[in-house]
Amino acid sequence: MSTLLLAEVHGGKLNDATAKGLTAAAALGAPVHILVACQDGGAAASEAAKLTGVEKVLLADDPLYGHQLAEPTAALIVGLAGDYSAIVAPATTSAKNIMPRVAALLDVMQISEIMTVVSADTFERPIYAGNAIQTVQSHDPKKVITVRTASFKAAAQGGSAPVERIAAAADPGLSAFASEALAKSDRPELASAKIIVSGGRALQSSDNFKKFIEPVADRLGAAVGASRAAVDAGYAPNDWQVGQTGKVVAPDLYMAVGISGAIQHLAGMKDSKVIVAINKDEEAPIFQVADYGLVADLFAAMPELDQELQKVGR
């Protein structure tokens, strides 16, 4: 039997998390079908069809899926589940809302945030904020899996899979869209950004985020992140939070500015390719995982960095 991968779509475009989820889904060893469930999803379906390793793309183009409500999407997936041995999704905010409902309706356990596929029924996943790696084996007839995308490379382009339109499932009528307030930014989306500049509680205020973190991030074309302590203190919005209870990221460059390196934060960024830490406390745990560390006052170091970036034309 095949594997069904739920695509992550935002604003009619395919999110990079889908390509990373595809790498994990393909490792199960069965043909992979991608499900694109959204409104006006033709462009996203075409993008999905170009990913290498996709056998077929299923497009459920209907207003019912326009706002990614969990209950209608779960009903659609359960209706398709009979043809699949595994249902996979990247561990994004929307998939974390949808997939537990799918598992409950199918009466199977969910295997959450896998980081390694050992075999078709055995997986590795982090526990205790990433301090231990648990190996789990599932004997359920259908596997419901979410994927920690930071642990997988994105599948390449170059495929030409057919796109098959499918009908929407019956609306269970358990939820209805009321409204949404979207954060607008010209910066890259945090979960898929190649460079991230994150600030911690040491910034002391939201104004200091604007003054010391955002200018450097904008010069680097980076996303802005924050520690939970900074978010809880009101210095940064919730969607900037990186860590165990925030977003898990793995950019090419992660700058941790004024972040001590609590274990919950490290769980969300320690897979970054290069980690740079700026902290005036030389004993801060962040220096244990950093590739480059600068013991300095961020209020002096960040303006100097901004000036140096200006000199090289950033």
Side-chain angles (χ1 to χ4, degrees):
M1 297 177 76
S2 302
T3 297
L4 181 66
L5 172 66
L6 177 63
E8 182 77 10
V9 180
H10 291 296
K13 296 182 179 180
L14 197 70
N15 190 283
D16 183 56
T18 305
K20 294 180 179 179
L22 174 58
T23 300
L28 296 175
V32 179
H33 298 174
I34 293 182
L35 171 62
V36 177
C38 62
Q39 186 176 12
D40 300 324
S46 296
E47 290 180 65
K50 295 176 183 177
L51 294 174
T52 302
V54 179
E55 184 178 77
K56 181 167 63 175
V57 175
L58 304 177
L59 173 59
D61 193 334
D62 193 279
L64 184 60
Y65 310 118
H67 299 286
Q68 298 181 321
L69 293 181
E71 290 80 6
T73 307
L76 174 66
I77 294 171
V78 170
L80 297 169
D83 296 329
Y84 299 98
S85 57
I87 301 166
V88 180
T92 59
T93 301
S94 59
K96 287 178 180 179
N97 197 18
I98 295 166
M99 296 300 276
R101 289 170 165 83
V102 172
L105 291 168
L106 294 174
D107 195 24
V108 298
M109 74 172 187
Q110 176 176 300
I111 307 168
S112 302
E113 299 212 27
I114 65 166
M115 56 187 297
T116 305
V117 177
V118 178
S119 67
D121 65 354
T122 306
F123 313 92
E124 292 181 353
R125 58 183 299 273
I127 57 174
Y128 303 128
N131 280 300
I133 305 302
Q134 181 184 60
T135 301
V136 296
Q137 184 176 40
S138 172
H139 298 293
D140 285 328
K142 293 188 185 299
K143 314 296 188 290
V144 176
I145 301 166
T146 62
V147 175
R148 176 169 282 208
T149 54
S151 300
F152 294 90
K153 293 183 178 180
Q157 296 271 341
S160 57
V163 177
E164 177 185 326
R165 288 183 174 268
I166 60 174
D171 185 357
L174 298 172
S175 60
F177 176 75
S179 65
E180 64 185 1
L182 299 176
K184 295 182 179 180
S185 175
D186 293 330
R187 299 189 184 99
E189 201 274 324
L190 183 61
S192 58
K194 300 297 183 185
I195 303 174
I196 297 173
V197 181
S198 278
R201 185 165 48 190
L203 269 296
Q204 301 177 359
S205 71
S206 58
D207 287 341
N208 283 339
F209 261 84
K210 293 183 177 69
K211 184 177 180 181
F212 296 100
I213 299 295
E214 295 186 30
V216 171
D218 290 340
R219 292 195 186 282
L220 293 173
V224 176
S227 67
R228 177 171 179 172
V231 171
D232 287 349
Y235 305 159
N238 288 335
D239 58 343
W240 287 6
Q241 185 175 324
V242 174
Q244 184 182 14
T245 54
K247 294 180 180 177
V248 177
V249 299
D252 294 336
L253 171 63
Y254 187 88
M255 290 185 61
V257 182
I259 295 175
S260 64
I263 191 170
Q264 292 85 354
H265 188 78
L266 298 183
M269 46 66 71
K270 65 182 180 181
D271 290 327
S272 304
K273 292 181 176 62
V274 176
I275 299 172
V276 175
I278 300 175
N279 200 299
K280 66 180 181 181
D281 178 10
E282 63 182 25
E283 301 296 328
I286 191 70
F287 288 123
Q288 297 177 15
V289 299
D291 298 285
Y292 300 93
L294 175 63
V295 179
D297 185 340
L298 71 89
F299 297 113
M302 293 303 283
E304 291 177 10
L305 176 58
D306 189 32
Q307 291 173 12
E308 292 300 320
L309 290 172
Q310 288 183 59
K311 292 179 183 178
V312 297
R314 287 285 188 171

